PDB file of all heavy atoms in Angstrom:
ATOM      1  N   SER A  92     106.617  95.221  93.719  1.00 92.00           N
ATOM      2  CA  SER A  92     107.292  93.936  93.969  1.00 92.00           C
ATOM      3  C   SER A  92     108.126  93.497  92.765  1.00 92.00           C
ATOM      4  O   SER A  92     108.102  92.346  92.350  1.00 92.00           O
ATOM      5  CB  SER A  92     106.258  92.854  94.332  1.00 92.00           C
ATOM      6  OG  SER A  92     105.558  93.187  95.509  1.00 92.00           O
ATOM      7  N   HIS A  93     108.865  94.459  92.203  1.00 91.00           N
ATOM      8  CA  HIS A  93     109.753  94.178  91.060  1.00 91.00           C
ATOM      9  C   HIS A  93     109.002  93.598  89.862  1.00 91.00           C
ATOM     10  O   HIS A  93     109.551  92.776  89.120  1.00 91.00           O
ATOM     11  CB  HIS A  93     110.880  93.244  91.474  1.00 91.00           C
ATOM     12  CG  HIS A  93     111.761  93.773  92.555  1.00 91.00           C
ATOM     13  ND1 HIS A  93     112.783  94.673  92.315  1.00 91.00           N
ATOM     14  CD2 HIS A  93     111.762  93.543  93.892  1.00 91.00           C
ATOM     15  CE1 HIS A  93     113.385  94.961  93.461  1.00 91.00           C
ATOM     16  NE2 HIS A  93     112.781  94.308  94.421  1.00 91.00           N
ATOM     17  N   GLY A  94     107.751  94.000  89.685  1.00 91.00           N
ATOM     18  CA  GLY A  94     107.004  93.532  88.515  1.00 91.00           C
ATOM     19  C   GLY A  94     106.116  92.333  88.764  1.00 91.00           C
ATOM     20  O   GLY A  94     105.578  91.762  87.817  1.00 91.00           O
ATOM     21  N   ALA A  95     105.932  91.951  90.019  1.00 91.00           N
ATOM     22  CA  ALA A  95     105.015  90.857  90.343  1.00 91.00           C
ATOM     23  C   ALA A  95     103.608  91.356  90.642  1.00 91.00           C
ATOM     24  O   ALA A  95     102.663  90.567  90.690  1.00 91.00           O
ATOM     25  CB  ALA A  95     105.535  90.063  91.544  1.00 91.00           C
ATOM     26  N   GLN A  96     103.443  92.669  90.845  1.00 93.00           N
ATOM     27  CA  GLN A  96     102.139  93.262  91.138  1.00 93.00           C
ATOM     28  C   GLN A  96     101.915  94.475  90.235  1.00 93.00           C
ATOM     29  O   GLN A  96     102.863  95.208  89.926  1.00 93.00           O
ATOM     30  CB  GLN A  96     102.065  93.737  92.588  1.00 93.00           C
ATOM     31  CG  GLN A  96     102.102  92.650  93.624  1.00 93.00           C
ATOM     32  CD  GLN A  96     102.018  93.258  95.015  1.00 93.00           C
ATOM     33  OE1 GLN A  96     102.967  93.878  95.496  1.00 93.00           O
ATOM     34  NE2 GLN A  96     100.873  93.103  95.649  1.00 93.00           N
ATOM     35  N   TYR A  97     100.650  94.710  89.867  1.00 96.00           N
ATOM     36  CA  TYR A  97     100.335  95.847  89.007  1.00 96.00           C
ATOM     37  C   TYR A  97      99.040  96.525  89.464  1.00 96.00           C
ATOM     38  O   TYR A  97      98.131  95.878  89.998  1.00 96.00           O
ATOM     39  CB  TYR A  97     100.169  95.400  87.537  1.00 96.00           C
ATOM     40  CG  TYR A  97     101.460  94.910  86.939  1.00 96.00           C
ATOM     41  CD1 TYR A  97     101.803  93.565  87.021  1.00 96.00           C
ATOM     42  CD2 TYR A  97     102.344  95.785  86.328  1.00 96.00           C
ATOM     43  CE1 TYR A  97     103.003  93.105  86.487  1.00 96.00           C
ATOM     44  CE2 TYR A  97     103.538  95.338  85.785  1.00 96.00           C
ATOM     45  CZ  TYR A  97     103.863  93.998  85.879  1.00 96.00           C
ATOM     46  OH  TYR A  97     105.049  93.546  85.357  1.00 96.00           O
ATOM     47  N   TRP A  98      98.978  97.816  89.212  1.00 97.00           N
ATOM     48  CA  TRP A  98      97.747  98.601  89.371  1.00 97.00           C
ATOM     49  C   TRP A  98      97.606  99.411  88.090  1.00 97.00           C
ATOM     50  O   TRP A  98      98.537 100.103  87.663  1.00 97.00           O
ATOM     51  CB  TRP A  98      97.841  99.527  90.572  1.00 97.00           C
ATOM     52  CG  TRP A  98      96.571 100.282  90.870  1.00 97.00           C
ATOM     53  CD1 TRP A  98      95.608  99.955  91.782  1.00 97.00           C
ATOM     54  CD2 TRP A  98      96.124 101.504  90.251  1.00 97.00           C
ATOM     55  NE1 TRP A  98      94.594 100.880  91.767  1.00 97.00           N
ATOM     56  CE2 TRP A  98      94.880 101.840  90.834  1.00 97.00           C
ATOM     57  CE3 TRP A  98      96.643 102.326  89.258  1.00 97.00           C
ATOM     58  CZ2 TRP A  98      94.169 102.972  90.459  1.00 97.00           C
ATOM     59  CZ3 TRP A  98      95.930 103.450  88.871  1.00 97.00           C
ATOM     60  CH2 TRP A  98      94.711 103.772  89.482  1.00 97.00           C
ATOM     61  N   PHE A  99      96.397  99.329  87.474  1.00 97.00           N
ATOM     62  CA  PHE A  99      96.154 100.021  86.215  1.00 97.00           C
ATOM     63  C   PHE A  99      95.006 101.020  86.368  1.00 97.00           C
ATOM     64  O   PHE A  99      93.981 100.698  86.990  1.00 97.00           O
ATOM     65  CB  PHE A  99      95.814  99.026  85.108  1.00 97.00           C
ATOM     66  CG  PHE A  99      96.939  98.090  84.768  1.00 97.00           C
ATOM     67  CD1 PHE A  99      96.875  96.753  85.127  1.00 97.00           C
ATOM     68  CD2 PHE A  99      98.060  98.554  84.100  1.00 97.00           C
ATOM     69  CE1 PHE A  99      97.902  95.883  84.820  1.00 97.00           C
ATOM     70  CE2 PHE A  99      99.099  97.694  83.781  1.00 97.00           C
ATOM     71  CZ  PHE A  99      99.024  96.354  84.144  1.00 97.00           C
ATOM     72  N   PRO A 100      95.161 102.213  85.796  1.00 97.00           N
ATOM     73  CA  PRO A 100      94.082 103.211  85.859  1.00 97.00           C
ATOM     74  C   PRO A 100      92.774 102.660  85.292  1.00 97.00           C
ATOM     75  O   PRO A 100      92.751 102.010  84.243  1.00 97.00           O
ATOM     76  CB  PRO A 100      94.617 104.355  84.983  1.00 97.00           C
ATOM     77  CG  PRO A 100      96.107 104.201  85.034  1.00 97.00           C
ATOM     78  CD  PRO A 100      96.348 102.726  85.085  1.00 97.00           C
ATOM     79  N   GLY A 101      91.697 102.906  86.015  1.00 94.00           N
ATOM     80  CA  GLY A 101      90.381 102.458  85.579  1.00 94.00           C
ATOM     81  C   GLY A 101      90.092 101.004  85.864  1.00 94.00           C
ATOM     82  O   GLY A 101      88.971 100.541  85.678  1.00 94.00           O
ATOM     83  N   GLU A 102      91.096 100.250  86.317  1.00 95.00           N
ATOM     84  CA  GLU A 102      90.922  98.823  86.588  1.00 95.00           C
ATOM     85  C   GLU A 102      91.271  98.463  88.029  1.00 95.00           C
ATOM     86  O   GLU A 102      90.647  97.604  88.634  1.00 95.00           O
ATOM     87  CB  GLU A 102      91.803  97.996  85.653  1.00 95.00           C
ATOM     88  CG  GLU A 102      91.467  98.163  84.181  1.00 95.00           C
ATOM     89  CD  GLU A 102      92.386  97.347  83.294  1.00 95.00           C
ATOM     90  OE1 GLU A 102      92.991  96.363  83.797  1.00 95.00           O
ATOM     91  OE2 GLU A 102      92.528  97.699  82.108  1.00 95.00           O
ATOM     92  N   GLY A 103      92.299  99.088  88.558  1.00 95.00           N
ATOM     93  CA  GLY A 103      92.747  98.759  89.902  1.00 95.00           C
ATOM     94  C   GLY A 103      93.825  97.690  89.894  1.00 95.00           C
ATOM     95  O   GLY A 103      94.529  97.488  88.904  1.00 95.00           O
ATOM     96  N   GLU A 104      93.908  96.980  90.995  1.00 92.00           N
ATOM     97  CA  GLU A 104      94.982  96.020  91.203  1.00 92.00           C
ATOM     98  C   GLU A 104      94.729  94.730  90.438  1.00 92.00           C
ATOM     99  O   GLU A 104      93.638  94.172  90.466  1.00 92.00           O
ATOM    100  CB  GLU A 104      95.114  95.713  92.698  1.00 92.00           C
ATOM    101  CG  GLU A 104      96.259  94.781  93.037  1.00 92.00           C
ATOM    102  CD  GLU A 104      96.431  94.590  94.534  1.00 92.00           C
ATOM    103  OE1 GLU A 104      95.750  95.296  95.312  1.00 92.00           O
ATOM    104  OE2 GLU A 104      97.237  93.726  94.926  1.00 92.00           O
ATOM    105  N   ALA A 105      95.768  94.258  89.751  1.00 85.00           N
ATOM    106  CA  ALA A 105      95.708  92.959  89.086  1.00 85.00           C
ATOM    107  C   ALA A 105      95.995  91.866  90.109  1.00 85.00           C
ATOM    108  O   ALA A 105      96.783  92.058  91.038  1.00 85.00           O
ATOM    109  CB  ALA A 105      96.724  92.903  87.954  1.00 85.00           C
TER     110      ALA A 105
END
Side-chain angles (χ1 to χ4, degrees):
S92 298
H93 299 280
Q96 293 180 288
Y97 293 90
W98 185 97
F99 295 108
E102 298 179 22
E104 183 175 353

